[in-house]
């Protein structure tokens, strides 16, 4: 008898969701991927991207017109909607279906109350969830992490038009990955006193510098220059190490005290989402564990970020707001 494959769900197959779909085409076992994407143009693009992947024939995809049409039991669901729609998608999915595991895209939600509601729902349904901050899965950063050896890290990231509101949680999680700490104190004092329209319709963005500190003494600054074309740069410094990473160019340099502070260019490769999701899914399905941050860990990072950006947004528009319009 042919072994039944795993059942996977993908909610949202837009720009990022379609990349998740491409990766899932490479899954190492028989699987059916059920996809709900209400925008027909996005669905068409997702179908085309799935077809671009050379497949083993073990993975099939089925596009659904309603969330109610998902299978009753799902081994893993990925919710890749925008942040403002994610809680509703989560609530509807778990009200009608049983899912063993979840991966949530980030920014997960736009307000603290949504995290509280989701936490209670996941606990009640006994669903284990992770948040997709995938730098933790990149081999370069996994190999770099032991070199910090518990030292305080000064983490600086900068670029022109960085999309700070959207990207900040990735970079805060990056430092948390290196340190194992999550208790951030953040400051908006050096953010610019205005708000920009995001490239994603209906959302907003910030420029300037977001600063933060962890209880253990590590510090972070994330800068988005509103003009120019400064490339994305990450600078990591400790008492005994310096590392510069230019991710988009695939370049990195390392200097260590033990080597006389001699700079060495070292191999670096940034991995796209279409190269990662099947690996994350396989590990979750095999062991119930993941290299991604847990929902609880990511919640600890999101909450100070949302509180800081929401307060800044409220100050700029001079009226109270309950949610931060980022995704």
């Amino acid at each position: 008898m042919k072994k039944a494959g795993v059942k996977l769900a993908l909610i949202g197959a837009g720009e990022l969701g379609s990349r998740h779909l491409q990766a899932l085409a490479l899954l190492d076992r028989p699987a059916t991927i059920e996809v709900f994407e209400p925008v027909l143009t996005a669905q068409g693009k997702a179908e085309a991207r799935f077809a671009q992947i050379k497949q083993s024939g073990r993975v099939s995809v089925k596009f659904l017109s309603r969330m109610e049409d998902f299978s009753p039991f799902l081994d893993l669901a990925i919710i890749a909607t925008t942040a403002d729609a994610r809680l509703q998608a989560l609530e509807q999915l778990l009200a009608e279906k049983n899912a063993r595991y979840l991966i949530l895209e980030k920014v997960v939600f736009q307000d603290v109350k949504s995290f509280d509601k989701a936490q209670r729902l996941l606990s009640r349904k006994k669903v284990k969830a992770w948040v997709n901050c995938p730098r933790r899965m990149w081999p370069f950063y996994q190999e770099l992490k032991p070199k910090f050896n518990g030292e305080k890290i000064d983490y600086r990231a900068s670029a022109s038009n960085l999309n700070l509101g959207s990207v900040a949680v990735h970079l805060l999680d990056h430092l948390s990955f290196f340190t194992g700490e999550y208790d951030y104190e953040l400051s908006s004092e050096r953010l610019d006193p205005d708000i920009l329209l995001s490239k994603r319709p209906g959302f907003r963005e910030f420029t300037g510098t977001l600063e933060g500190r962890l209880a253990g003494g590590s510090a972070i600054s994330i800068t988005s220059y509103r003009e120019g074309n400064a490339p994305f740069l990450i600078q990591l410094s400790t008492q005994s190490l310096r590392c510069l990473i230019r991710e988009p160019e695939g370049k990195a340099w390392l200097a260590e005290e033990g080597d006389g502070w001699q700079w060495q260019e070292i191999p670096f490769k940034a991995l796209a989402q279409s190269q990662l999701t099947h690996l994350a899914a396989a590990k979750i399905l095999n062991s119930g564990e993941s290299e991604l941050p847990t929902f609880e860990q990511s919640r600890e990072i999101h909450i100070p970020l949302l509180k800081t950006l929401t307060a800044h947004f409220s100050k700029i528009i001079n009226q109270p707001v309950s949610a931060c319009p980022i995704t």
Side-chain angles (χ1 to χ4, degrees), residues 48 75 86 99 110 158 167 178 216 225 243 249 258 277 283 287 309 317:
D75 294 284
R86 190 164 290 116
Q110 296 180 328
S158 61
V167 169
F178 290 138
Y225 305 111
C243 188
E249 300 158 76
T277 308
K283 183 162 186 175
S287 66
L309 295 183
I317 66 172

Side-chain angles (χ1 to χ4, degrees), residues 47-306:
E47 289 183 87
R49 286 182 170 174
F50 183 81
Q52 290 171 2
I53 305 301
K54 186 178 180 181
Q55 301 162 38
S56 64
R58 292 178 294 188
V59 177
S60 62
V61 64
K62 179 165 58 173
F63 286 86
L64 309 177
S65 58
R66 306 181 309 159
M67 283 186 62
E68 293 92 328
D69 295 332
F70 280 122
S71 295
F73 179 85
L74 300 163
D75 294 284
L76 171 67
I78 299 172
I79 303 182
T81 64
T82 51
D84 56 331
R86 190 164 290 116
L87 180 63
Q88 181 181 351
L90 175 66
E91 289 177 330
Q92 184 176 348
L93 177 71
L94 295 185
E96 300 171 356
K97 311 297 176 183
N98 293 301
R100 288 178 68 200
Y101 303 117
L102 291 175
I103 295 175
L104 306 176
E105 264 304 335
K106 46 58 50 201
V107 172
V108 179
F109 306 119
Q110 296 180 328
D111 62 274
V112 175
K113 287 184 179 179
S114 293
F115 270 97
D116 294 339
K117 289 180 181 178
Q119 182 74 73
R120 290 193 294 268
L121 178 60
L122 294 171
S123 298
R124 188 170 73 250
K125 294 287 188 175
K126 295 182 171 55
V127 177
K128 198 168 184 180
W130 295 267
V131 172
N132 189 42
C133 291
R135 277 181 177 81
R136 292 173 177 246
M137 296 179 63
W138 295 9
F140 177 86
Y141 290 129
Q142 291 178 342
E143 293 169 12
L144 181 64
K145 180 179 178 178
K147 291 181 177 292
F148 293 117
N149 199 30
E151 291 187 285
K152 298 174 186 177
I153 301 171
D154 181 42
Y155 184 116
R156 299 175 184 268
S158 61
S160 294
N161 303 305
L162 182 59
N163 297 318
L164 188 152
S166 177
V167 169
V169 70
H170 273 298
L171 303 179
L172 293 167
D173 181 78
H174 200 198
L175 179 56
S176 288
F177 168 64
F178 290 138
T179 63
E181 297 180 61
Y182 295 87
D183 47 348
Y184 280 101
E185 289 187 9
L186 300 177
S187 170
S188 62
E189 287 186 10
R190 294 180 59 202
L191 288 176
D192 292 338
D194 51 9
I195 306 296
L196 304 180
L197 293 175
S198 170
K199 62 183 179 181
R200 299 177 178 90
F203 300 99
R204 299 294 183 268
E205 265 304 342
F206 302 87
T207 55
T209 299
L210 177 71
E211 295 179 306
R213 184 168 293 275
L214 286 162
S218 292
I220 188 168
S221 71
I222 303 169
T223 300
S224 178
Y225 305 111
R226 64 183 308 156
E227 296 178 349
N229 56 0
F232 182 52
L233 175 67
I234 294 176
Q235 304 173 71
L236 305 170
S237 302
T238 71
Q239 183 176 318
S240 59
L241 177 150
R242 303 286 188 275
C243 188
L244 304 178
I245 306 114
R246 288 160 60 173
E247 289 183 351
E249 300 158 76
K251 293 184 177 182
W253 294 264
L254 182 68
E256 297 180 78
E257 182 180 33
D259 293 329
W261 295 111
Q262 295 296 311
W263 284 104
Q264 298 181 37
E265 185 168 356
I266 50 179
F268 175 87
K269 184 178 181 181
L271 297 180
Q273 194 62 58
S274 57
Q275 299 171 294
L276 290 168
T277 308
H278 61 301
L279 302 177
K283 183 162 186 175
I284 289 169
L285 294 170
N286 287 341
S287 66
E289 301 295 335
S290 178
E291 294 161 323
L292 299 174
T294 65
F295 178 84
E296 292 77 13
Q297 289 170 333
S298 195
R299 180 181 186 273
E300 287 189 59
I301 295 172
H302 272 79
I303 286 178
L305 177 64
L306 289 173

